[in-house]
Amino acid sequence: MISRRAMLTAGASALAFPAAAQDSRSLKAIAAAKNFTFGTAAASYELKDADFTPILAREAAQLVPEYEMKRRALETRPGVYDFADLDTLFAYAARNRMTMRGHTLCWYYANPAWLAPMLAAKRDEKLLTDHIRTVLRRYRMDSVDVVNEALAPPGTATRADGFRPSIWLDAFGPGYIDMAFHAARAADPRVKLVYNDWGFEQGSADNDRFRSVTLRLLDGMLKRKTPIDALGIQGHLSAFGNKVDQRKLRAFLQEIRDRGLIILITELDVDDTGGSYDIAARDRAVADEARRFLDVALDNPATQAVLTWNLSDRYVDAPDEWKLKLLAWRLRKTPYDAQMRKKPLWDAMAQAFAGRRLHY
Ligand code: XIL
């Protein structure tokens, strides 16, 4: 039998290997060795790119649709669904032995144009719950964003409870959130039910307020026994703007864990707007900021997944056309560049993943 001491020594020597040489494993393998899932957002048209799909299949253990599950993409006319693009993503995931994450069942944004007037006129709960049931009955998923971004972003709240104005808030008041989670649980008893949002990571007073209204929302749900399994932390970071406050983030994640909730990092990317035109310097700053975030996020045993919001810069939303044309400027937010080469962000992620302390 291997002694505890020998195990610790083996662990220490593994860590002692310098990070200089790039880890030859995939991100999903490094993550799996540390008990969490690595995945990424992808859009169905990306699956036609033969430069990209081998990388996607190799690196990611989980996929989340970038657009295809948004209600505007699915329910083009009331009760009439077009599942074709979403089916393509699920079929790809199944072929490549990946799990799926759902995004998103209820959001203020990306709704079909017919929904707002109908909801305002009828205030019918079924306009929320029928959709949730339809999607969840069709697909098997590991987790799903039941409600996305119900809170006003840091610094923009106009209500004391922090809720973001939306068609759902107008129709039902804040109770729409519980309504959505109950409908989700009734439709699928197994999928992890997630509340997903952004603004948790930085240190400003506005972020402090955002963290506290989030805890109030979650506490209310837990007290009312609303079925919720996880908080989704989008993780849209900024290399040259508002930086991650590691101390505050650590304390906040601890609060989430103390409530018995799972933590999922759902949309990690690092905006490099505001950096110089020196690509190496931008890439370094992007990598450093992600590392500062991931070291804290992965140190919490409740963190069960990290997903990037796209795996390659080729598929990051195009910046302003004039920047692209005149300056060949392209956002460099993801682990692979537009030529499908690994970037310093890939290394930073691999190192943060490999360095996770396992809690037994
Ligand atoms: C974004 C897509 O990436 C964009 O292409 C689209 O124009 C808008 O939606 N938070 C979310 C995601 O929850 O759904 C958003 O995705 C990015 C911010």
Side-chain angles (χ1 to χ4, degrees):
M1 202 177 86
I2 182 162
S3 71
R4 183 169 160 75
R5 194 191 168 83
M7 249 173 74
L8 287 175
T9 317
S13 68
L15 274 180
F17 278 108
Q22 208 164 57
D23 202 315
S24 63
R25 295 171 296 165
S26 62
L27 290 173
K28 76 177 169 196
I30 307 172
K34 298 297 171 129
N35 293 345
F36 71 100
T37 301
F38 172 70
T40 185
S44 48
Y45 53 81
E46 297 173 23
L47 305 182
K48 297 183 182 132
D49 179 347
D51 298 342
F52 179 60
T53 47
I55 295 174
L56 183 61
R58 181 183 133 78
E59 295 282 23
Q62 188 166 83
L63 282 190
V64 56
E66 184 175 3
Y67 305 96
E68 290 79 353
M69 200 182 278
K70 291 172 182 171
R71 192 158 174 177
R72 185 160 64 202
L74 279 184
E75 196 181 356
T76 43
R77 284 180 290 137
V80 180
Y81 281 78
D82 180 355
F83 288 116
D85 292 340
L86 193 50
D87 285 353
T88 303
L89 282 163
F90 273 83
Y92 176 85
R95 277 201 307 282
N96 291 284
R97 293 182 304 281
M98 298 169 168
T99 56
M100 289 294 292
R101 221 183 99 60
H103 173 81
T104 171
L105 300 174
C106 173
W107 196 16
Y108 75 93
Y109 190 65
N111 289 306
W114 57 263
L115 182 61
M118 193 179 287
L119 192 59
K122 298 192 177 163
R123 295 180 188 250
D124 182 354
E125 290 184 18
K126 283 160 63 69
L127 286 169
L128 175 61
T129 56
D130 281 356
H131 175 74
I132 290 174
R133 187 172 330 103
T134 302
V135 176
L136 290 182
R137 291 260 164 101
R138 185 176 177 94
Y139 298 108
R140 166 122 304 282
M141 294 178 268
D142 174 54
S143 70
V144 63
D145 294 332
V146 180
V147 176
N148 193 37
E149 301 178 348
L151 296 169
T156 68
T158 52
R159 300 166 46 118
D161 58 14
F163 286 110
R164 185 198 273 266
S166 78
I167 55 173
W168 306 111
L169 193 66
D170 287 348
F172 307 120
Y176 81 86
I177 297 175
D178 283 13
M179 227 180 256
F181 278 83
H182 281 292
R185 182 50 82 228
D188 184 341
R190 287 192 287 175
V191 64
K192 291 179 196 112
L193 304 180
V194 185
Y195 174 71
N196 193 51
D197 215 328
W198 60 273
F200 306 111
E201 303 88 352
Q202 292 85 11
S204 75
D206 288 331
N207 292 97
D208 289 343
R209 273 188 291 276
F210 187 79
R211 281 182 283 266
S212 75
V213 295
T214 302
L215 292 177
R216 219 186 306 150
L217 168 66
L218 296 175
D219 283 340
M221 293 175 77
L222 293 168
K223 194 163 145 235
R224 295 187 298 275
K225 306 238 181 302
T226 309
I228 175 171
D229 301 301
L231 177 67
I233 299 204
Q234 293 186 4
H236 294 296
L237 309 180
S238 174
F240 302 103
N242 201 356
K243 293 295 194 65
V244 169
D245 184 316
Q246 289 185 306
R247 188 180 59 81
K248 289 181 179 180
L249 177 63
R250 181 179 296 280
F252 177 72
L253 297 183
Q254 187 58 43
E255 295 276 0
I256 301 305
R257 181 175 184 230
D258 289 346
R259 285 159 173 78
L261 294 170
I262 293 165
I263 298 163
L264 305 174
I265 308 304
T266 53
E267 304 184 12
L268 177 64
D269 61 10
V270 189
D271 194 330
D272 58 331
T273 305
S276 76
Y277 287 88
D278 174 356
I279 283 180
R282 278 200 276 150
D283 283 357
R284 187 73 264 143
V286 162
D288 287 350
E289 188 61 359
R291 181 72 197 262
R292 294 178 60 254
F293 172 70
L294 288 171
D295 282 348
V296 174
L298 291 172
D299 199 37
N300 192 309
T303 301
Q304 293 192 0
V306 173
L307 291 96
T308 50
W309 200 246
N310 274 306
L311 195 56
S312 162
D313 294 339
R314 185 176 292 183
Y315 294 113
V316 168
D317 283 342
D320 296 343
E321 274 301 294
W322 69 268
K323 271 194 178 175
L324 195 61
K325 285 199 184 113
L326 293 180
L327 305 163
W329 175 279
R330 182 186 270 286
L331 288 168
R332 300 180 63 86
K333 298 170 113 172
T334 79
Y336 280 83
D337 71 11
Q339 287 75 42
M340 302 298 163
R341 292 174 307 216
K342 286 178 184 170
K343 292 163 52 194
L345 175 56
W346 190 98
D347 291 308
M349 290 174 59
Q351 287 167 25
F353 289 10
R356 184 181 205 189
R357 206 157 47 98
L358 285 180
H359 307 255
Y360 293 103

